[in-house]
Coordinates of all heavy atoms in Angstrom, one line a residue:
M1 N 0.8 -1.2 0.0 CA 0.0 -0.1 0.0 C 0.9 1.2 0.1 O 1.6 1.5 0.9 CB -1.0 0.0 1.2 CG -1.9 -1.1 1.2 SD -3.0 -1.1 2.7 CE -2.6 -2.7 3.3
T2 N 0.9 1.9 -1.1 CA 1.7 3.1 -1.2 C 1.0 4.3 -1.5 O 1.5 5.4 -1.8 CB 2.8 2.9 -2.4 OG1 2.1 2.6 -3.5 CG2 3.6 1.7 -2.1
R3 N -0.3 4.3 -1.4 CA -1.1 5.5 -1.7 C -2.2 5.6 -0.7 O -2.6 4.7 0.0 CB -1.7 5.4 -3.1 CG -2.6 4.2 -3.2 CD -3.4 4.1 -4.5 NE -4.1 2.9 -4.7 CZ -5.3 2.7 -4.1 NH1 -5.8 3.6 -3.3 NH2 -6.0 1.6 -4.3
P4 N -2.8 6.9 -0.5 CA -4.0 7.0 0.4 C -5.1 6.3 -0.3 O -5.2 6.0 -1.4 CB -4.2 8.5 0.3 CG -3.1 9.2 -0.4 CD -2.3 8.1 -1.2
L5 N -6.1 6.0 0.6 CA -7.3 5.3 0.1 C -8.1 6.2 -0.8 O -8.2 7.4 -0.6 CB -8.2 4.9 1.4 CG -7.9 3.7 2.1 CD1 -9.0 3.4 3.2 CD2 -7.8 2.5 1.3
D6 N -8.6 5.6 -1.8 CA -9.6 6.3 -2.6 C -10.9 6.5 -1.9 O -11.2 5.6 -1.1 CB -9.8 5.4 -3.9 CG -10.7 6.2 -4.9 OD1 -11.9 5.9 -4.7 OD2 -10.2 6.8 -5.9
P7 N -11.6 7.5 -2.1 CA -12.9 7.7 -1.4 C -13.9 6.5 -1.5 O -14.9 6.3 -0.8 CB -13.5 9.0 -1.9 CG -12.4 9.7 -2.5 CD -11.4 8.6 -2.9
T8 N -13.7 5.7 -2.6 CA -14.6 4.6 -2.8 C -14.0 3.3 -2.1 O -14.6 2.1 -2.3 CB -14.8 4.3 -4.3 OG1 -13.5 3.9 -4.9 CG2 -15.3 5.5 -5.1
E9 N -13.0 3.3 -1.4 CA -12.4 2.2 -0.7 C -12.3 2.3 0.8 O -12.6 3.2 1.4 CB -10.9 2.0 -1.2 CG -10.8 1.9 -2.7 CD -9.2 2.0 -3.2 OE1 -8.5 2.8 -2.5 OE2 -8.9 1.2 -4.0
R10 N -12.1 1.1 1.4 CA -12.0 1.0 2.9 C -11.0 -0.2 3.1 O -10.8 -1.0 2.4 CB -13.3 0.8 3.6 CG -13.9 -0.6 3.4 CD -15.2 -0.8 4.2 NE -15.7 -2.1 4.0 CZ -16.8 -2.4 4.5 NH1 -17.5 -1.6 5.3 NH2 -17.3 -3.7 4.3
Y11 N -10.4 -0.1 4.5 CA -9.6 -1.2 4.9 C -10.5 -2.3 5.5 O -11.6 -2.0 6.2 CB -8.7 -0.8 6.0 CG -7.6 0.1 5.4 CD1 -7.5 1.5 5.9 CD2 -6.6 -0.2 4.4 CE1 -6.5 2.4 5.4 CE2 -5.7 0.7 4.0 CZ -5.7 1.9 4.4 OH -4.8 2.8 4.0
R12 N -10.1 -3.6 5.4 CA -10.7 -4.7 6.1 C -9.5 -5.6 6.7 O -8.6 -5.8 6.0 CB -11.6 -5.5 5.3 CG -12.0 -6.8 6.1 CD -13.0 -7.6 5.2 NE -14.2 -7.1 4.9 CZ -15.3 -7.0 5.7 NH1 -15.2 -7.6 6.9 NH2 -16.3 -6.4 5.4
C13 N -9.5 -5.9 8.0 CA -8.7 -6.9 8.5 C -9.2 -8.3 8.3 O -10.3 -8.6 8.7 CB -8.5 -6.7 10.0 SG -7.5 -8.0 10.7
T14 N -8.5 -9.1 7.4 CA -9.0 -10.4 7.1 C -8.8 -11.3 8.2 O -9.4 -12.5 8.2 CB -8.3 -10.9 5.8 OG1 -6.9 -10.9 6.0 CG2 -8.7 -10.0 4.6
G15 N -8.1 -10.9 9.3 CA -7.9 -11.8 10.4 C -9.0 -11.9 11.3 O -9.4 -12.8 11.8
C16 N -9.6 -10.6 11.6 CA -10.7 -10.5 12.6 C -12.0 -9.9 12.1 O -13.0 -9.9 12.7 CB -10.3 -9.8 13.9 SG -10.0 -8.0 13.6
G17 N -12.0 -9.3 10.9 CA -13.1 -8.7 10.2 C -13.3 -7.2 10.5 O -14.3 -6.6 10.0
N18 N -12.4 -6.6 11.3 CA -12.5 -5.1 11.5 C -12.5 -4.4 10.3 O -11.8 -4.5 9.4 CB -11.4 -4.9 12.4 CG -11.3 -3.3 12.7 OD1 -12.3 -2.6 12.7 ND2 -10.0 -2.9 12.7
V19 N -13.5 -3.3 10.2 CA -13.5 -2.4 9.1 C -13.4 -0.9 9.6 O -13.6 0.0 8.8 CB -14.6 -2.6 8.2 CG1 -14.5 -3.9 7.5 CG2 -15.9 -2.4 8.9
T20 N -13.3 -0.7 11.0 CA -13.6 0.6 11.6 C -12.3 1.2 12.3 O -12.2 2.4 12.5 CB -14.7 0.6 12.4 OG1 -14.5 -0.3 13.5 CG2 -16.0 0.3 11.7
R21 N -11.3 0.3 12.8 CA -10.3 0.8 13.6 C -8.9 0.4 13.2 O -8.7 -0.8 13.3 CB -10.5 0.4 15.1 CG -11.8 0.7 15.7 CD -11.9 2.2 16.1 NE -13.0 2.5 16.9 CZ -14.3 2.9 16.4 NH1 -14.5 2.8 15.0 NH2 -15.2 3.2 17.2
F22 N -8.1 1.4 12.7 CA -6.7 1.0 12.3 C -5.7 2.1 12.6 O -6.2 3.3 12.7 CB -6.7 0.9 10.8 CG -7.6 -0.2 10.2 CD1 -8.9 0.1 9.9 CD2 -7.2 -1.5 10.0 CE1 -9.7 -0.9 9.4 CE2 -8.0 -2.5 9.7 CZ -9.3 -2.2 9.3
D23 N -4.6 1.7 13.0 CA -3.4 2.7 13.1 C -2.6 2.7 11.7 O -2.2 1.7 11.3 CB -2.5 2.2 14.3 CG -3.1 2.3 15.6 OD1 -3.9 3.3 16.0 OD2 -3.1 1.2 16.4
L24 N -2.5 3.9 11.3 CA -1.7 4.1 10.0 C -0.5 4.9 10.4 O -0.5 5.9 11.1 CB -2.6 4.9 9.0 CG -3.7 4.0 8.3 CD1 -4.8 3.7 9.1 CD2 -4.1 4.9 7.1
V25 N 0.6 4.5 9.8 CA 1.8 5.3 9.8 C 2.1 5.7 8.4 O 2.2 5.0 7.5 CB 3.0 4.4 10.4 CG1 4.3 5.3 10.3 CG2 2.8 3.9 11.7
E26 N 2.1 7.1 8.2 CA 2.2 7.7 6.9 C 3.4 8.7 6.9 O 3.7 9.2 7.9 CB 1.0 8.5 6.5 CG -0.3 7.6 6.5 CD -1.6 8.5 6.4 OE1 -1.4 9.7 6.5 OE2 -2.6 8.0 6.2
R27 N 4.0 8.7 5.7 CA 4.9 9.9 5.5 C 4.6 10.6 4.3 O 4.3 10.0 3.3 CB 6.3 9.1 5.3 CG 7.5 10.1 5.2 CD 8.8 9.4 4.7 NE 9.0 8.2 5.4 CZ 9.9 8.0 6.4 NH1 10.7 9.0 6.7 NH2 10.0 6.8 7.0
S28 N 4.6 11.9 4.4 CA 4.1 12.7 3.2 C 4.9 14.1 3.2 O 5.4 14.5 4.1 CB 2.6 12.9 3.2 OG 2.3 13.7 4.4
R29 N 4.9 14.5 1.9 CA 5.4 15.9 1.7 C 4.3 16.6 1.1 O 3.8 16.3 0.0 CB 6.7 15.8 0.8 CG 7.5 17.1 0.9 CD 8.9 16.7 0.3 NE 8.8 16.4 -1.1 CZ 8.9 17.3 -2.1 NH1 9.2 18.5 -1.8 NH2 8.7 16.9 -3.4
V30 N 3.9 17.8 1.6 CA 2.7 18.5 1.3 C 3.0 20.0 1.1 O 3.7 20.6 1.9 CB 1.6 18.4 2.4 CG1 0.4 19.1 1.9 CG2 1.4 16.9 2.6
R31 N 2.4 20.6 0.0 CA 2.5 22.0 -0.2 C 1.1 22.5 0.2 O 0.0 22.0 -0.3 CB 2.8 22.4 -1.7 CG 2.7 23.9 -1.9 CD 2.8 24.3 -3.3 NE 4.1 23.9 -3.7 CZ 4.4 23.2 -4.9 NH1 3.4 22.8 -5.7 NH2 5.6 22.9 -5.2
R32 N 1.1 23.5 1.2 CA -0.2 24.1 1.7 C -0.2 25.6 1.5 O 0.9 26.3 1.8 CB -0.3 23.8 3.2 CG -0.6 22.3 3.4 CD -1.0 22.1 4.9 NE -1.2 20.7 5.1 CZ -0.3 20.0 5.9 NH1 0.8 20.5 6.4 NH2 -0.6 18.6 6.0
Y33 N -1.3 26.1 1.1 CA -1.4 27.6 1.0 C -2.1 28.0 2.2 O -3.3 27.8 2.4 CB -2.2 27.9 -0.2 CG -2.7 29.4 -0.3 CD1 -1.8 30.4 -0.2 CD2 -4.0 29.7 -0.4 CE1 -2.2 31.8 -0.2 CE2 -4.5 31.1 -0.5 CZ -3.5 32.0 -0.4 OH -4.0 33.3 -0.4
H34 N -1.4 28.7 3.1 CA -1.9 29.2 4.3 C -2.4 30.7 4.2 O -1.7 31.5 3.6 CB -0.8 29.2 5.5 CG -0.5 27.8 6.0 ND1 -1.0 27.3 7.1 CD2 0.4 26.9 5.4 CE1 -0.5 26.2 7.3 NE2 0.3 25.8 6.3
H35 N -3.6 31.0 4.5 CA -4.2 32.3 4.5 C -4.2 32.8 6.0 O -5.0 32.3 6.8 CB -5.6 32.2 3.9 CG -6.1 33.5 3.7 ND1 -7.2 33.6 2.8 CD2 -6.0 34.7 4.3 CE1 -7.6 34.9 2.8 NE2 -6.9 35.5 3.7
F36 N -3.4 33.8 6.2 CA -3.4 34.4 7.5 C -4.2 35.6 7.5 O -4.2 36.5 6.7 CB -1.9 34.8 7.9 CG -1.0 33.5 8.1 CD1 -0.3 33.1 7.0 CD2 -0.9 33.0 9.3 CE1 0.5 31.9 7.1 CE2 0.0 31.8 9.5 CZ 0.6 31.4 8.4
D37 N -5.0 35.8 8.7 CA -5.5 37.2 8.8 C -4.8 38.1 9.6 O -3.6 37.7 10.0 CB -7.0 37.0 9.6 CG -6.9 36.4 11.0 OD1 -5.8 36.6 11.6 OD2 -8.0 36.0 11.5
L38 N -5.2 39.2 9.8 CA -4.3 40.4 10.5 C -3.9 40.0 11.9 O -2.9 40.5 12.3 CB -5.0 41.7 10.3 CG -5.2 42.2 8.9 CD1 -5.9 43.5 9.0 CD2 -3.8 42.3 8.2
S39 N -4.6 39.1 12.5 CA -4.4 38.8 13.9 C -3.3 37.7 13.9 O -2.8 37.4 15.0 CB -5.6 38.4 14.7 OG -6.0 37.0 14.2
G40 N -3.0 37.0 12.8 CA -2.1 35.9 12.8 C -2.7 34.6 12.7 O -2.0 33.6 12.5
A41 N -4.0 34.5 12.9 CA -4.7 33.2 12.8 C -4.7 32.7 11.3 O -4.8 33.6 10.4 CB -6.3 33.3 13.3
S42 N -4.6 31.5 11.1 CA -4.5 31.0 9.7 C -5.6 29.9 9.5 O -6.1 29.2 10.3 CB -3.2 30.5 9.4 OG -2.9 29.2 10.1
R43 N -5.8 29.7 8.1 CA -6.6 28.5 7.6 C -5.9 28.1 6.4 O -5.2 28.8 5.7 CB -8.0 28.9 7.4 CG -8.2 29.8 6.2 CD -9.8 30.0 5.9 NE -10.0 30.7 4.7 CZ -10.1 32.1 4.6 NH1 -10.1 32.7 5.8 NH2 -10.3 32.6 3.5
I44 N -6.1 26.8 6.1 CA -5.5 26.3 4.9 C -6.5 26.3 3.7 O -7.5 25.7 3.8 CB -4.9 24.8 5.0 CG1 -3.8 24.8 6.1 CG2 -4.5 24.2 3.7 CD1 -3.4 23.5 6.6
D45 N -6.1 27.1 2.6 CA -7.0 27.4 1.5 C -6.7 26.2 0.4 O -7.7 25.9 -0.3 CB -6.9 28.6 0.8 CG -7.5 29.7 1.8 OD1 -8.3 29.5 2.7 OD2 -7.3 31.0 1.6
E46 N -5.6 25.8 0.2 CA -5.1 24.8 -0.7 C -4.2 23.8 -0.1 O -3.3 24.2 0.7 CB -4.6 25.5 -2.0 CG -5.6 26.4 -2.7 CD -4.8 27.1 -3.9 OE1 -3.7 26.7 -4.2 OE2 -5.5 28.0 -4.4
E47 N -4.3 22.6 -0.7 CA -3.3 21.6 -0.2 C -2.9 20.7 -1.4 O -3.8 20.3 -2.1 CB -3.7 20.8 0.9 CG -2.8 19.8 1.5 CD -3.3 19.1 2.7 OE1 -3.2 19.7 3.8 OE2 -3.8 18.0 2.6
E48 N -1.7 20.4 -1.7 CA -1.3 19.6 -2.7 C -0.4 18.6 -2.2 O 0.7 18.9 -1.5 CB -0.5 20.3 -3.8 CG 0.0 19.5 -4.9 CD 0.8 20.3 -5.9 OE1 1.0 21.5 -5.8 OE2 1.3 19.6 -6.9
V49 N -0.6 17.2 -2.2 CA 0.4 16.2 -1.8 C 1.4 16.0 -2.8 O 1.1 15.6 -4.0 CB -0.5 14.9 -1.5 CG1 0.4 13.8 -1.0 CG2 -1.6 15.1 -0.5
L50 N 2.7 16.2 -2.5 CA 3.7 16.1 -3.4 C 4.3 14.7 -3.4 O 4.8 14.2 -4.4 CB 4.9 17.2 -3.1 CG 4.4 18.6 -3.0 CD1 5.5 19.5 -2.5 CD2 3.9 19.1 -4.4
D51 N 4.4 14.0 -2.2 CA 4.9 12.8 -2.1 C 4.0 12.1 -1.0 O 3.8 12.7 0.1 CB 6.4 12.8 -1.8 CG 7.0 11.5 -1.8 OD1 6.6 10.6 -2.7 OD2 8.0 11.2 -1.0
F52 N 3.8 10.8 -1.1 CA 3.1 10.1 0.0 C 3.6 8.6 0.1 O 3.8 8.0 -1.0 CB 1.6 10.1 -0.3 CG 0.8 9.3 0.7 CD1 0.4 9.9 1.9 CD2 0.5 8.0 0.6 CE1 -0.4 9.2 2.8 CE2 -0.2 7.3 1.5 CZ -0.6 7.9 2.6
E53 N 3.8 8.2 1.3 CA 4.2 6.8 1.5 C 3.4 6.3 2.7 O 3.5 6.9 3.8 CB 5.7 6.6 1.7 CG 6.1 5.3 2.0 CD 7.6 5.1 2.2 OE1 8.3 6.1 2.2 OE2 8.0 4.0 2.6
L54 N 2.6 5.2 2.5 CA 2.0 4.5 3.7 C 2.9 3.5 4.1 O 3.1 2.5 3.5 CB 0.7 4.0 3.2 CG -0.1 3.3 4.2 CD1 -0.5 4.3 5.3 CD2 -1.4 2.6 3.5
E55 N 3.4 3.7 5.4 CA 4.4 2.8 5.8 C 3.8 1.5 6.5 O 4.3 0.4 6.3 CB 5.3 3.4 6.9 CG 6.2 4.5 6.3 CD 7.1 5.2 7.3 OE1 7.1 4.9 8.6 OE2 7.8 6.1 7.0
S56 N 2.7 1.7 7.1 CA 2.0 0.5 7.8 C 0.6 0.9 8.1 O 0.3 1.9 8.4 CB 2.8 0.0 9.0 OG 2.7 1.0 10.0
V57 N -0.2 -0.2 8.1 CA -1.6 -0.3 8.5 C -1.7 -1.4 9.5 O -1.4 -2.6 9.1 CB -2.6 -0.4 7.5 CG1 -4.0 -0.3 8.0 CG2 -2.4 0.7 6.4
T58 N -2.1 -1.1 10.8 CA -2.3 -2.1 11.7 C -3.7 -2.1 12.3 O -4.2 -1.1 12.6 CB -1.3 -2.0 13.0 OG1 0.0 -1.8 12.4 CG2 -1.3 -3.0 14.0
C59 N -4.4 -3.3 12.4 CA -5.6 -3.5 13.0 C -5.6 -3.1 14.4 O -4.8 -3.6 15.2 CB -6.1 -4.9 12.8 SG -7.7 -5.3 13.5
R60 N -6.5 -2.2 14.9 CA -6.5 -1.8 16.3 C -7.2 -2.9 17.2 O -7.0 -3.1 18.3 CB -7.4 -0.5 16.3 CG -7.4 0.2 17.6 CD -6.0 0.4 18.2 NE -5.3 1.6 18.1 CZ -5.2 2.6 18.9 NH1 -5.8 2.5 20.1 NH2 -4.6 3.6 18.5
W61 N -8.0 -3.9 16.6 CA -8.7 -4.9 17.3 C -7.7 -6.0 17.6 O -7.6 -6.5 18.7 CB -9.9 -5.3 16.5 CG -11.1 -4.4 16.6 CD1 -11.1 -3.2 17.1 CD2 -12.3 -4.7 16.0 NE1 -12.4 -2.6 16.9 CE2 -13.1 -3.5 16.2 CE3 -12.9 -5.7 15.2 CZ2 -14.4 -3.4 15.7 CZ3 -14.1 -5.6 14.7 CH2 -14.9 -4.5 14.9
C62 N -7.1 -6.6 16.6 CA -6.2 -7.8 16.7 C -4.8 -7.6 16.7 O -4.0 -8.4 17.0 CB -6.6 -8.9 15.8 SG -6.2 -8.6 14.1
G63 N -4.3 -6.3 16.3 CA -2.9 -6.0 16.3 C -2.2 -6.5 15.1 O -0.9 -6.3 14.9
R64 N -2.9 -7.1 14.2 CA -2.2 -7.7 12.9 C -2.0 -6.5 11.9 O -2.7 -5.7 11.6 CB -3.0 -8.8 12.3 CG -3.0 -10.0 13.2 CD -3.8 -11.2 12.6 NE -3.1 -11.7 11.4 CZ -3.5 -12.7 10.8 NH1 -4.7 -13.4 11.2 NH2 -2.8 -13.1 9.7
S65 N -0.9 -6.6 11.1 CA -0.6 -5.8 10.1 C -0.4 -6.6 8.8 O -0.2 -6.0 7.8 CB 0.6 -4.9 10.3 OG 1.8 -5.7 10.5
D66 N -0.4 -7.9 8.9 CA -0.2 -8.8 7.7 C -1.5 -9.3 7.1 O -1.4 -10.1 6.2 CB 0.7 -10.0 8.2 CG 0.0 -10.9 9.2 OD1 -1.0 -10.4 9.9 OD2 0.5 -12.0 9.4
S67 N -2.6 -8.8 7.6 CA -3.9 -9.3 7.1 C -4.8 -8.1 6.7 O -6.0 -8.3 6.7 CB -4.5 -10.2 8.1 OG -4.8 -9.4 9.2
I68 N -4.2 -7.0 6.3 CA -5.0 -5.8 5.9 C -5.3 -5.8 4.5 O -4.3 -5.9 3.7 CB -4.3 -4.5 6.4 CG1 -3.9 -4.6 7.9 CG2 -5.2 -3.3 6.0 CD1 -5.1 -4.7 8.8
A69 N -6.6 -5.7 4.1 CA -7.0 -5.7 2.6 C -7.6 -4.4 2.4 O -8.2 -3.8 3.2 CB -7.8 -6.9 2.4
V70 N -7.6 -3.9 1.2 CA -8.3 -2.8 0.6 C -9.4 -3.3 -0.2 O -9.3 -4.2 -1.1 CB -7.4 -1.9 -0.3 CG1 -8.2 -0.7 -0.8 CG2 -6.3 -1.3 0.6
E71 N -10.6 -2.9 0.1 CA -11.8 -3.4 -0.6 C -12.7 -2.2 -0.9 O -12.6 -1.1 -0.4 CB -12.6 -4.3 0.3 CG -13.2 -3.8 1.5 CD -14.0 -4.8 2.4 OE1 -13.7 -6.0 2.2 OE2 -14.8 -4.3 3.1
D72 N -13.7 -2.4 -1.9 CA -14.7 -1.3 -2.2 C -15.6 -1.0 -1.0 O -16.0 -2.0 -0.3 CB -15.5 -1.8 -3.4 CG -14.7 -1.8 -4.7 OD1 -13.6 -1.2 -4.8 OD2 -15.1 -2.6 -5.6
R73 N -15.9 0.2 -0.9 CA -16.8 0.6 0.2 C -18.2 0.2 -0.2 O -18.5 0.4 -1.4 CB -16.8 2.1 0.5 CG -15.5 2.5 1.2 CD -15.4 4.0 1.4 NE -16.6 4.5 2.2 CZ -16.7 5.9 2.4 NH1 -16.0 6.7 1.9 NH2 -17.9 6.2 3.0
P74 N -19.0 -0.2 0.7 CA -20.4 -0.5 0.3 C -21.2 0.7 -0.1 O -20.9 1.7 0.6 CB -21.0 -1.3 1.6 CG -20.2 -0.8 2.7 CD -18.8 -0.6 2.1
H75 N -22.0 0.6 -1.0 CA -22.9 1.8 -1.3 C -24.0 2.0 -0.2 O -24.6 1.0 0.1 CB -23.5 1.5 -2.7 CG -24.5 2.6 -3.1 ND1 -24.0 3.9 -3.5 CD2 -25.9 2.7 -3.2 CE1 -25.1 4.7 -3.7 NE2 -26.1 4.0 -3.6
V76 N -24.0 3.3 0.2 CA -25.1 3.7 1.1 C -25.9 4.7 0.6 O -25.5 5.8 0.2 CB -24.4 4.1 2.6 CG1 -25.5 4.5 3.5 CG2 -23.4 3.0 3.0
D77 N -27.2 4.4 0.6 CA -28.2 5.5 0.1 C -28.3 6.6 1.1 O -28.4 6.4 2.3 CB -29.6 4.8 0.0 CG -29.6 3.8 -1.2 OD1 -28.8 4.0 -2.2 OD2 -30.4 2.7 -1.2
D78 N -28.5 7.8 0.6 CA -28.7 8.9 1.5 C -30.0 9.0 2.2 O -31.0 8.5 1.9 CB -28.5 10.2 0.7 CG -27.1 10.4 0.2 OD1 -26.2 9.7 0.8 OD2 -26.9 11.1 -0.8

């Protein structure tokens, strides 16, 4: 796994069935456009991921990192 999840995907632990709780270790290089107001407070108006590496995904329920699969997210009606 070397990329972020697509919005149509999710993780599943094939060891225990978990689909909701994972620890992710990521490394990224990002360009952000910070918009500062006169008081010094900021918000991010734009963000571009220049480089991304997903180092590990570990199931929070069973602790396994060797059984993580990426699958399509189920369709949910609004």
Side-chain angles (χ1 to χ4, degrees):
M1 292 179 244
T2 58
R3 61 172 175 77
L5 280 181
D6 183 277
T8 63
E9 299 172 322
R10 71 177 181 183
Y11 293 117
R12 172 181 292 280
C13 177
T14 59
C16 70
N18 171 34
V19 294
T20 60
R21 304 285 191 273
F22 299 92
D23 290 316
L24 280 69
V25 177
E26 304 171 345
R27 183 187 317 253
S28 62
R29 202 165 62 93
V30 180
R31 175 184 296 133
R32 292 185 180 110
Y33 169 54
H34 289 260
H35 183 157
F36 292 88
D37 65 20
L38 295 176
S39 72
S42 71
R43 70 175 188 266
I44 296 173
D45 285 348
E46 295 175 13
E47 182 173 284
E48 178 185 1
V49 177
L50 304 172
D51 188 36
F52 179 86
E53 180 182 353
L54 181 58
E55 294 181 0
S56 67
V57 180
T58 304
C59 177
R60 191 47 96 101
W61 286 2
C62 71
R64 293 181 64 177
S65 60
D66 62 342
S67 61
I68 307 301
V70 175
E71 64 180 22
D72 291 335
R73 287 176 59 185
H75 176 73
V76 178
D77 293 329
D78 293 334

